Amino acid sequence: MENIARPCIVWGATGQAKVDYDILETEGVMIIHFFENNKNVTSPIDGVPISYGLKGLINFIDTLDGQHLRPGDIDCISAIGGGNGEDRESMARLMEANGFKSRSVIHKSAIISPLSKIGSNVQVLAGSIVGAFASIGNNTIINTGANVDHDCIIGRNCHLGPRATLAGEVIVEDNSFIGTNATILPQKRICMGSLVGAGAVVTKDVATGAIVVGNPARILVK
């Protein structure tokens, strides 16, 4: 999956944004502006300005004429990590609504089957594998070394933590989070908004909104 090197803006300026910057730099992509909702966050890259909220985005758009650019000339990435998938989606939609084009970020060491389907604003980090006939929904992060086997279906706004492993034909519904080193056995379903804890081994379906931990995974008792 190959992206054209166009100028890019990034919503988010903390850990996920730094990882995406590292990947994009190797592709020759220039990040020209960061945006954040938290005014206490500063730009992670010297020389790349940062603005805050919708007002900051509108002010940035107003400067584009002077640079002979339009929003349609610029790609955008919503780099909000962790279990904040809905926020990641909201910021991607905000930038798209103002004319920017969402793009995905794929590390050069990731292995992506040409038979898989990758949505927009998907971020696949170093050493990850996406197998044949797998499908990755919009705004999903496949973190370092994660393995998505054949025929898996990952919904929108999900996050697979480092070295998470999904065996064949697993379904992960929208807004779910799979923790570091978690393992999901074949043909299991992780229902919407669920959280699978780090190192958990999922041997049966996980209900909507559930938090499961352990080996075998069990519902967390509060």
Side-chain angles (χ1 to χ4, degrees), residues 30-163:
M30 179 181 293
I31 293 179
I32 60 174
H33 213 97
F34 288 102
F35 296 89
E36 255 289 344
N37 295 319
N38 182 353
K39 292 185 177 181
N40 293 320
V41 174
T42 58
S43 175
I45 307 299
D46 290 342
V48 180
I50 188 169
S51 298
Y52 301 96
L54 176 59
K55 183 177 180 180
L57 182 65
I58 297 303
N59 288 342
F60 170 74
I61 292 170
D62 289 343
T63 70
L64 292 179
D65 277 347
Q67 303 174 62
H68 306 291
L69 289 170
R70 301 170 296 110
D73 300 322
I74 300 169
D75 288 339
C76 64
I77 299 163
S78 183
I80 301 172
N84 302 304
E86 291 179 278
D87 292 339
R88 195 159 53 248
E89 179 180 52
S90 294
M91 296 304 100
R93 286 184 173 178
L94 175 62
M95 291 184 286
E96 290 166 358
N98 281 279
F100 300 97
K101 181 182 178 182
S102 279
R103 60 159 289 163
S104 291
V105 180
I106 312 293
H107 194 279
K108 63 182 179 181
S109 68
I111 299 173
I112 310 292
S113 169
L115 299 175
S116 65
K117 295 180 180 179
I118 307 293
S120 66
N121 194 52
V122 170
Q123 295 154 58
V124 184
L125 305 190
S128 294
I129 299 172
V130 178
F133 298 99
S135 175
I136 311 296
N138 297 348
N139 312 306
T140 284
I141 296 172
I142 309 298
N143 218 314
T144 307
N147 184 2
V148 179
D149 211 340
H150 68 89
D151 296 291
C152 286
I153 300 174
I154 314 298
R156 298 173 11 256
N157 316 327
C158 295
H159 190 149
L160 273 61
R163 297 177 299 281

Side-chain angles (χ1 to χ4, degrees), residues 184-208:
I184 317 297
L185 297 189
Q187 300 180 338
K188 299 301 176 282
R189 180 184 290 266
I190 311 300
C191 291
M192 185 176 297
S194 297
L195 188 154
V196 177
V201 177
V202 175
T203 60
K204 58 185 179 181
D205 294 350
V206 175
T208 299

